Structures are given as structure tokens and as C-alpha cells.
Amino acid sequence: MKNIPAVILAAGKSSRFYPFSNGAHKTMISLLGKPILAYTLQGVKKAGINKIIMVVRDDGLIKKYFGDGKRFGVSITYVIQKEALGMGDALLKASKKINGEFILLGGNHVNSHLLIPDLMSKNKKGTDGIVMTKRRDDTWEYGVVKLSGDR
């Protein structure tokens, strides 16, 4: 796989996870003894990506746990999103660290090792972007994508 970075979004308020998150970001909730975000990092590494740009809020908990990423076999660069202004703002903040292609993931994608190879297999020369979607009946909870053919 090309050595492109994974941009992982792990900022925001995680307000819908209260009281389970106890004020921490939802990706730091422990699942089988380690934070959900650790599974995402493992999957990214398993998919062949070792450079990570992680967008976090300024509470230091994620940075303290994961550090520079060496003990997880990856290299992590942090970008701080001080205010929870959404995913678009988080990506804009990270854009200063991105040079060319990248993969964008939420910090809770524990199946990233399955998603990334599928995304890369669809990446063709001249493609500006790939968005993975899933057909849902309850679109009001997730958003709507309008397709025209495969676009």
C-alpha cells in the first residue's frame, strides 16, 4: 500500500456518550481492556498505514495515552481542534499536515483494517475522492447522499 497518512478524527464533545465517556472522548472508552481508539490504530497499521494525523481536543488524554505512536508501531502527529465545530473544521485544521492523498476515519472505526483496503481498491487515477456509504431507512440520523450512477 502507498504510504499515505490516515487522518483520524478524535475531537468533539462526545455528548451523546455521556455518562459512559465520563467527560473523555468516546474513543477512549475501554473495550476489552483498551480504548476503542487503540483498535482503530491497530486496524490502520494492519492495513499498511503507519503515518497518522490525529485531530483531538485540547484535553491531553489521548495524546498522553498514545504519545508519538511508537509503542503501537505508528507515527502520530497531533492537530488540536479547540472548539467542537464539526468534522469539516477538524479536517481543515488537519489540512496543514496533509500533502496529497489521505484516508479520513473516525476514531471509532474498529474495522478500519477492512475499510482501508476496500477504499484503496476503488482509488483510480484521476479520482478526487471516495466516500463509503450504506443504504439506511433512518437517514435523518446520519445524512443523505444523492447518487447519479456511481457518482
Side-chain angles (χ1 to χ4, degrees):
M1 173 168 298
K2 292 189 248 179
N3 192 17
I4 63 173
V7 177
I8 299 178
L9 305 180
K13 293 181 181 176
S14 300
S15 59
R16 290 178 285 185
F17 271 77
Y18 182 80
F20 304 109
S21 62
N22 197 25
H25 192 266
K26 65 187 169 200
T27 61
M28 292 304 287
I29 293 172
S30 185
L31 179 65
L32 300 173
K34 59 184 169 184
I36 292 170
L37 185 53
Y39 294 99
T40 302
L41 289 184
Q42 284 177 329
V44 167
K45 183 178 185 303
K46 186 175 181 180
I49 295 175
N50 59 18
K51 182 179 178 189
I52 296 171
I53 300 165
M54 194 175 308
V55 182
V56 297
R57 60 186 184 193
D58 196 19
D59 62 7
L61 180 62
I62 292 174
K63 192 171 182 179
K64 182 178 178 182
Y65 186 90
F66 292 98
D68 61 7
K70 283 185 185 169
R71 74 180 172 111
F72 297 91
V74 297
S75 171
I76 302 174
T77 301
Y78 293 93
V79 173
I80 305 298
Q81 184 187 29
K82 292 184 181 192
E83 291 183 69
L85 298 175
M87 294 169 65
D89 180 69
L91 186 54
L92 283 173
K93 298 254 186 309
S95 68
K96 295 174 182 129
K97 306 281 184 187
I98 301 168
N99 185 16
E101 294 182 313
F102 65 96
I103 291 178
L104 178 65
L105 296 167
N108 59 331
H109 280 111
V110 296
N111 61 345
S112 59
H113 67 286
L114 301 173
L115 294 172
I116 292 169
D118 195 24
L119 279 169
M120 295 307 295
S121 72
K122 291 170 176 45
N123 188 17
K124 297 177 176 71
K125 191 172 185 174
T127 300
D128 290 328
I130 300 167
V131 177
M132 295 185 87
T133 61
K134 182 177 181 179
R135 191 175 299 273
R136 303 280 310 211
D137 291 329
D138 53 348
T139 56
W140 57 89
E141 290 189 31
Y142 298 97
V144 177
V145 174
K146 184 177 179 181
L147 295 174
S148 176
D150 66 349
R151 299 178 90 47

